[in-house]
Amino acid sequence: MELFWILLFSVFHRYVQTQGVYAPANAQIVHSGQTCVVKEDNISERIYTIREGDTLVLQCLVKGHPRPQVRWTKTAGSASDKFQETSIFNETLRIPNIQRVQGGRYYCKAENGVGVAAIKSIRVDVQYLDKPVLTVHQTVGDVRGNYYQEKTVFLRCTVNSNPPARFIWKRGNKPIEQSKDNGVDIYEPLYTQGETKVLKLKNLRPQDFANYTCQVSVRNVCDIPDSSVTFRLTNTTTPPALKLSVNETYVVDPGQDVTLSCEVTAGFPTPRVTWSRYPGSLPQRSVIQGGSLTLQSVTPADAGVYNCTAVNNVGNPARRTANLIVRTMKNLTFQITPDSNKDSESIQMGRDLKLSCHVDAQPQDMVNYTWYKNGALIYPTDSLIVLRSDPDLGHSIFFLNGQTSKNNTSPLTTMFSSFPVVPPVLSVPVGGGVVNVSEGGTAELVCLVDGKPRPPVLWSRANKDLPMPSGDWVVETRDGRLRLTNVTRDMMGAYRCQTAPYNGLNIKRRQGQVQLNVEYPPVVDPVLLDVRSQTLSTVNLRCLVLKSNPNRIASARWYRNGMPIRTPPVDPQSVPQLRFKLDTTNNGTYECRLSNGVGTSTCTFIVSAQPYNAEFYYDTPNPIRTLKNNYSYILQWTQKEPDAVDKIIGYWINVQQNRQTVLSKQTTTKEPVKGVLMSYTLMDLRIPLSYEVSLTPITSYGTGNTVTRTIQHLRITVYHVCGFEDIRICGFTQDRRDVFDWTRQNHLTQNPKRSVNTGPDTDRSGTKEGYYMYIETSRPRQDGDRARLLSPLYNVTAARGPTGTTRTPYCVSFYYHMNGKHMGTLNVLTRVKSIATVDSAVWSLSGHQGPEWRKADAEIYPSGPFQVVFEGIRGNGFEGDIAIDDVSVTKGKCKQKESVDKTGLYDQ
């Protein structure tokens, strides 16, 4: 199914001259094609309803001169493929296979540079009905075990739908009626997600062990069929239970094959077992067979919490989890801390000393640290303390009072090598404080560090709110050199380097700073400009520098058509300008090329005495005149900026049909005035062919820009379609000469005390929100009272119709609802406007016709402008409400269908 909605409006204009076509036009919204319903909410917003999976077509038809540009955007609801982050420039927006998340408010904005933009919106409501989910619970807390006969059982049915679903519970094939069965209770629980209905079976009886069906319906809205789910309740129905084959924390080595098994120990019906992982999804190499999950050659990336879930829709799902840990060790670091109590930066005899080491591992608490000195295992003594959990860096040893052992004068030994300890020194090389680089190039920032041991250097932005170009907040370098590639101007600024607090002395960190200066070519304005001027007038071209690094402009040169122009020397710090008198020899493309030593940027000017293009006028009323098999077309246009160039003396008009030229001629015209329409009538065009028309202005200089449009002969068939969704009821009015009025109503606005045996419950589409028109026959109405509803005036002229008739036929189609034992009469008349107003009957029906909406057609042959009149006559009682909906007037005969009532055919 393809939905089609037309948004018709105009761009509003302001024009200071006394003449011109820049004027606002009326705005209106109509729709055509297949649709569920178009309705209004409380703020008179247009709402368009569509079924999920169908194709949505929104078309924005605009009026305005010059021809507006149309842009679609979306807000409200969820994003649709990032649609609300972008714009679609097209009169037609097409969304195939629309999904529920794509519902929301769609905006059509039309701009033509004159006055303010015109904006219209419509909200798209996507209708859907998922398959319901039925779960069974013994109590609210779900007691484990069998569902014995003396227990109470809750059957919970949940479904996601739009609009809200209606629920029907069945035992076997028979609907369950709460009023006729004391053993059941049907209710809607509070605080549930989605639409939910609960069937409560109180103190199970033998007949309660049966098949239960939950049927959900959205009342065939958008032709969405009902959906249902069935569950068989027996005395063996039990919730699922699981047993996991491994411990909740499972540690394995890399490369090992791992199998996690979930055994179902209870549950009827047989539970379905599924596996999942958090965070992320299951590894691609995982294999699931039954309740077992096998991971082949595990890696650290496979670690995570694996969840095994068993579901049989009875009680709560059974879940078991296993935290899979893959052993890893990386990032081994160490610290040497001199006597922290003395705030020392050097190791001294007689002072305390702490050595610390740490490794990132999984599992962390199973890491075994061992300290050695000169290859020999170290044991705790009075002067040496081993800390297994140091808050600074994990695992440490303390040497108290600087005594490692008696008579020991050997150097301090770490886990890697032996060396004298020297505090680090960090410095920026001479000339390295500022690094200049061209945009797009590669830069290297250097901070030299010396010391034993030599720590890594950490780089960050001096502005703490800015991350590094890599996206990280801190970048580690072993040698203090930070390399940046493909440098952009956003990277420009100060970078801080500092010694790392690990793999060296744990003392005050040394810091330095390097400034990155990114040089780029000038940014100029305009980049491209179209300059039109009259012949022999003075042209002044200026090229502005918005920003540049370095700021000084090294050179500025002018070119015409790629060839350099001899000009006086240009002051690089002033705004480059070029002045000259335009003649037939110096039209062309002018360039101002500016260089700052890093790169060159160009301002381009297309200078010409060539006239601007014409602007077709699309809002010509009745541009087509038809005669037998041919038609003529009134082509109208205005000239864009006619005073900018030499006088326009005429236009070339070229007409092609299927790429074959059928007309090519020059027309003469008065001098165009901005905003004033010009016209030319194209004759002898053949019905129903379309033609491509090109229009080119002509001056003494030559021809200007060409514009092209397509014209075609359109047979307008539908004059009016009305579902009464608009509060203005599509221009229908109440007849002042009748006794009472028709009333606009929908299901939500119905009087709760209304008569239940007459009148429709919803509009003909079956939605609660859809409107219709009806007559209320309760008091004070009396037998024979009449209510008349008048359509807008259809301004048609009499014309010869099909063979055997003298007038063109029209088909009046509508839906009617006539349900009630006191039903009166519904008449359809036409009111033809001529010297005297004449009402003529075209269709009539009386009496009870059943509770359904029915469609009717009536053919008419009006002799001139006409209105359609719907007349409702009250019967002999209050159960006689008459309703109508979806009225249309179509040019041509009515289509013959057996299901359509046709009771009259008249000439007026």
Side-chain angles (χ1 to χ4, degrees):
M1 179 187 296
E2 187 171 282
L3 300 181
F4 189 77
W5 175 72
I6 298 178
L7 191 63
L8 180 63
F9 60 91
S10 68
V11 178
F12 293 91
H13 310 278
R14 294 190 185 99
Y15 189 57
V16 298
Q17 297 186 10
T18 57
Q19 302 183 62
V21 295
Y22 298 105
N26 292 329
Q28 60 175 329
I29 298 175
V30 297
H31 68 91
S32 63
Q34 293 177 313
T35 177
C36 299
V37 66
V38 177
K39 59 190 179 183
E40 296 177 7
D41 65 6
N42 294 333
I43 58 174
S44 298
E45 179 188 23
R46 299 292 287 174
I47 303 177
Y48 195 68
T49 303
I50 180 175
R51 176 175 173 171
E52 187 174 46
D54 287 347
T55 297
L56 175 70
V57 178
L58 303 181
Q59 186 172 7
C60 189
L61 298 184
V62 297
K63 288 186 177 182
H65 187 73
R67 187 69 168 173
Q69 184 181 39
V70 176
R71 180 178 64 177
W72 284 97
T73 55
K74 173 182 177 288
T75 59
S78 300
S80 165
D81 299 327
K82 297 185 178 180
F83 175 64
Q84 67 180 22
E85 298 178 8
T86 60
S87 298
I88 294 179
F89 290 89
N90 200 342
E91 290 189 1
T92 301
L93 171 66
R94 181 182 177 89
I95 305 178
N97 191 28
I98 191 169
Q99 299 300 304
R100 63 193 66 178
V101 296
Q102 293 175 297
R105 186 177 293 107
Y106 288 81
Y107 289 89
C108 174
K109 182 178 182 180
E111 293 180 289
N112 66 351
V114 181
V116 297
I119 301 176
K120 286 292 181 178
S121 69
I122 190 168
R123 202 174 84 204
V124 175
D125 189 20
V126 181
Q127 309 275 282
Y128 56 90
L129 176 64
D130 292 343
K131 187 174 180 61
V133 176
L134 195 157
T135 57
V136 182
H137 302 266
Q138 183 175 352
T139 65
V140 175
D142 182 30
V143 176
R144 297 284 179 177
N146 293 338
Y147 285 68
Y148 298 111
Q149 187 168 347
E150 65 271 15
K151 299 295 183 179
T152 296
V153 171
F154 301 84
L155 281 74
R156 179 188 296 263
C157 185
T158 302
V159 69
N160 292 316
S161 68
N162 183 33
R166 179 179 60 185
F167 292 77
I168 298 177
W169 282 100
K170 294 181 180 179
R171 182 188 289 118
N173 294 324
K174 296 182 179 180
I176 299 176
E177 299 182 43
Q178 183 175 347
S179 60
K180 297 181 180 180
D181 191 341
N182 294 329
V184 302
D185 188 12
I186 300 176
Y187 63 93
E188 181 176 340
L190 299 176
Y191 311 115
T192 57
Q193 183 177 4
E195 298 290 319
T196 303
K197 276 290 191 297
V198 173
L199 172 64
K200 179 181 179 182
L201 305 176
K202 299 178 286 189
N203 294 325
L204 287 179
R205 303 160 298 182
Q207 62 266 33
D208 291 332
F209 294 103
N211 288 333
Y212 289 88
T213 299
C214 173
Q215 180 176 323
V216 292
S217 172
V218 289
R219 296 162 292 282
N220 205 36
V221 169
C222 294
D223 296 324
I224 298 176
D226 296 351
S227 184
S228 63
V229 60
T230 301
F231 183 88
R232 181 171 181 79
L233 181 65
T234 69
N235 57 4
T236 60
T237 300
T238 52
L242 286 175
K243 180 181 178 182
L244 190 61
S245 62
V246 298
N247 296 329
E248 292 187 358
T249 299
Y250 191 35
V251 182
V252 298
D253 294 325
Q256 180 180 340
D257 291 343
V258 176
T259 298
L260 307 176
S261 297
C262 259
E263 179 186 355
V264 177
T265 59
F268 185 82
T270 303
R272 178 173 57 91
V273 178
T274 59
W275 282 93
S276 62
R277 183 179 72 149
Y278 178 83
S281 57
L282 292 175
Q284 293 184 352
R285 303 184 309 279
S286 60
V287 177
I288 299 177
Q289 187 173 7
S292 298
L293 171 67
T294 300
L295 306 175
Q296 299 175 351
S297 300
V298 295
T299 66
D302 297 329
V305 178
Y306 286 80
N307 304 291
C308 172
T309 305
V311 178
N312 66 349
N313 291 345
V314 179
N316 294 323
R319 293 185 175 89
R320 291 292 181 267
T321 61
N323 184 15
L324 180 65
I325 298 176
V326 182
R327 292 188 179 94
T328 57
M329 285 199 304
K330 58 183 180 180
N331 299 332
L332 182 64
T333 58
F334 68 92
Q335 280 183 348
I336 304 173
T337 306
D339 192 349
S340 58
N341 295 326
K342 303 297 183 180
D343 195 21
S344 175
E345 291 194 351
S346 62
I347 299 174
Q348 303 177 24
M349 296 298 295
R351 296 284 183 89
D352 293 347
L353 175 68
K354 183 173 73 171
L355 304 180
S356 306
C357 71
H358 173 77
V359 65
D360 295 331
Q362 287 290 344
Q364 190 73 50
D365 57 355
M366 297 180 66
V367 177
N368 182 29
Y369 293 89
T370 304
W371 287 89
Y372 294 85
K373 176 187 174 186
N374 295 330
L377 185 66
I378 295 178
Y379 296 96
T381 64
D382 293 341
S383 61
L384 188 148
I385 302 174
V386 177
L387 299 178
R388 297 190 178 276
S389 180
D390 182 44
D392 291 334
L393 200 64
H395 199 278
S396 303
I397 61 173
F398 273 102
F399 294 93
L400 300 181
N401 298 323
Q403 298 178 5
T404 58
S405 63
K406 293 183 179 179
N407 301 321
N408 183 7
T409 59
S410 60
L412 183 66
T413 303
T414 69
M415 65 185 72
F416 299 107
S417 61
S418 300
F419 49 79
V421 176
V422 178
V425 176
L426 186 143
S427 62
V428 178
V430 177
V434 177
V435 176
N436 296 311
V437 61
S438 297
E439 191 169 32
T442 299
E444 186 175 73
L445 282 58
V446 180
C447 276
L448 301 178
V449 62
D450 195 10
K452 293 185 178 181
R454 188 173 67 177
V457 175
L458 303 181
W459 287 90
S460 61
R461 298 291 288 265
N463 185 344
K464 297 181 179 180
D465 294 331
L466 296 177
M468 294 290 287
S470 63
D472 301 317
W473 292 100
V474 177
V475 174
E476 177 187 304
T477 60
R478 292 293 179 183
D479 57 359
R481 298 177 182 272
L482 176 66
R483 185 179 177 85
L484 303 175
T485 59
N486 194 22
V487 175
T488 65
R489 64 192 68 178
D490 296 335
M491 299 181 186
M492 188 161 50
Y495 289 75
R496 178 185 293 115
C497 58
Q498 55 186 343
T499 55
Y502 51 85
N503 291 356
L505 283 171
N506 183 22
I507 58 178
K508 183 178 180 181
R509 302 169 71 175
R510 276 47 172 172
Q511 293 187 6
Q513 185 167 294
V514 178
Q515 181 74 28
L516 178 65
N517 182 39
V518 181
E519 299 176 336
Y520 52 88
V523 178
V524 297
D525 180 64
V527 176
L528 177 64
L529 182 64
D530 186 3
V531 179
R532 308 290 177 105
S533 184
Q534 296 179 1
T535 305
L536 302 181
S537 63
T538 300
V539 177
N540 186 19
L541 307 180
R542 303 175 76 244
C543 186
L544 299 177
V545 178
L546 302 181
K547 54 184 177 179
S548 174
N549 189 23
N551 293 325
R552 180 178 178 82
I553 301 301
S555 65
R557 294 184 175 90
W558 286 93
Y559 295 79
R560 183 179 71 222
N561 297 330
M563 302 299 293
I565 302 175
R566 292 183 178 181
T567 59
V570 178
D571 181 2
Q573 301 313 305
S574 63
V575 177
Q577 298 187 62
L578 180 65
R579 294 172 60 90
F580 60 93
K581 183 172 291 187
L582 184 65
D583 57 38
T584 56
T585 65
N586 57 10
N587 285 251
T589 301
Y590 288 76
E591 295 176 321
C592 179
R593 300 177 186 177
L594 302 179
S595 175
N596 63 349
V598 176
T600 301
S601 299
T602 303
C603 291
T604 302
F605 305 88
I606 301 175
V607 181
S608 173
Q610 184 182 36
Y612 285 101
N613 58 276
E615 298 171 318
F616 282 119
Y617 186 65
Y618 288 84
D619 301 337
T620 307
N622 302 322
I624 295 178
R625 297 291 184 270
T626 304
L627 180 63
K628 294 185 178 180
N629 295 325
N630 291 347
Y631 70 98
S632 62
Y633 193 95
I634 302 175
L635 189 70
Q636 291 188 299
W637 70 91
T638 60
Q639 177 60 44
K640 180 179 179 181
E641 303 297 340
D643 298 329
V645 295
D646 298 335
K647 177 182 177 181
I648 295 175
I649 59 178
Y651 290 86
W652 272 106
I653 297 179
N654 184 273
V655 181
Q656 289 188 337
Q657 203 287 313
N658 197 20
R659 298 184 179 179
Q660 298 294 323
T661 300
V662 296
L663 174 66
S664 182
K665 67 174 297 186
Q666 179 179 345
T667 66
T668 57
T669 180
K670 296 180 179 179
E671 184 175 359
V673 177
K674 184 176 181 179
V676 176
L677 282 175
M678 293 170 282
S679 63
Y680 181 85
T681 302
L682 301 173
M683 306 291 292
D684 298 326
L685 306 176
R686 297 186 59 186
I687 297 174
L689 300 181
S690 60
Y691 295 84
E692 185 178 82
V693 181
S694 300
L695 190 64
T696 307
I698 305 171
T699 67
S700 57
Y701 165 82
T703 58
N705 298 118
T706 300
V707 289
T708 303
R709 66 167 295 186
T710 300
I711 61 174
Q712 55 186 334
H713 184 273
L714 295 177
R715 298 181 182 272
I716 301 177
T717 55
V718 179
Y719 280 92
H720 202 81
V721 179
C722 185
F724 304 108
E725 307 303 331
D726 193 328
I727 194 172
R728 293 172 291 276
I729 58 176
C730 316
F732 278 75
T733 56
Q734 307 285 351
D735 193 341
R736 297 182 180 181
R737 296 178 296 177
D738 57 10
V739 179
F740 67 110
D741 289 341
W742 288 77
T743 302
R744 176 174 175 265
Q745 179 177 267
N746 66 7
H747 176 85
L748 303 177
T749 61
Q750 290 176 355
N751 187 340
K753 297 182 180 180
R754 69 183 183 92
S755 304
V756 296
N757 296 321
T758 187
D761 185 54
T762 64
D763 74 342
R764 78 98 179 169
S765 67
T767 59
K768 295 181 179 180
E769 298 84 357
Y771 284 89
Y772 54 87
M773 300 296 291
Y774 86 108
I775 61 169
E776 174 59 65
T777 57
S778 300
R779 292 182 181 179
R781 302 278 72 83
Q782 297 181 0
D783 189 6
D785 283 356
R786 297 170 183 260
R788 285 189 169 190
L789 187 67
L790 308 180
S791 77
L793 179 67
Y794 303 113
N795 191 18
V796 301
T797 57
R800 179 171 295 276
T803 304
T805 66
T806 59
R807 301 171 189 166
T808 301
Y810 291 83
C811 180
V812 179
S813 298
F814 60 95
Y815 285 83
Y816 65 88
H817 191 283
M818 301 174 66
N819 179 45
K821 62 182 180 180
H822 303 139
M823 189 57 57
T825 300
L826 175 61
N827 295 324
V828 179
L829 309 95
T830 56
R831 178 171 295 179
V832 179
K833 299 291 185 178
S834 58
I835 298 177
T837 300
V838 179
D839 290 351
S840 302
V842 298
W843 187 92
S844 182
L845 190 64
S846 301
H848 171 68
Q849 302 298 322
E852 299 86 13
W853 282 95
R854 298 176 181 271
K855 187 179 181 182
D857 292 337
E859 284 182 13
I860 60 175
Y861 292 83
S863 58
F866 68 95
Q867 290 176 285
V868 178
V869 182
F870 289 91
E871 180 183 63
I873 304 177
R874 199 245 195 196
N876 59 2
F878 62 89
E879 293 184 8
D881 295 352
I882 299 174
I884 60 172
D885 199 3
D886 289 354
V887 178
S888 67
V889 178
T890 307
K891 186 177 182 179
K893 288 189 174 184
C894 298
K895 296 181 180 180
Q896 300 293 329
K897 292 184 180 180
E898 295 181 0
S899 60
V900 174
D901 297 331
K902 283 191 62 178
T903 62
L905 179 62
Y906 303 87
D907 288 348
Q908 285 77 48

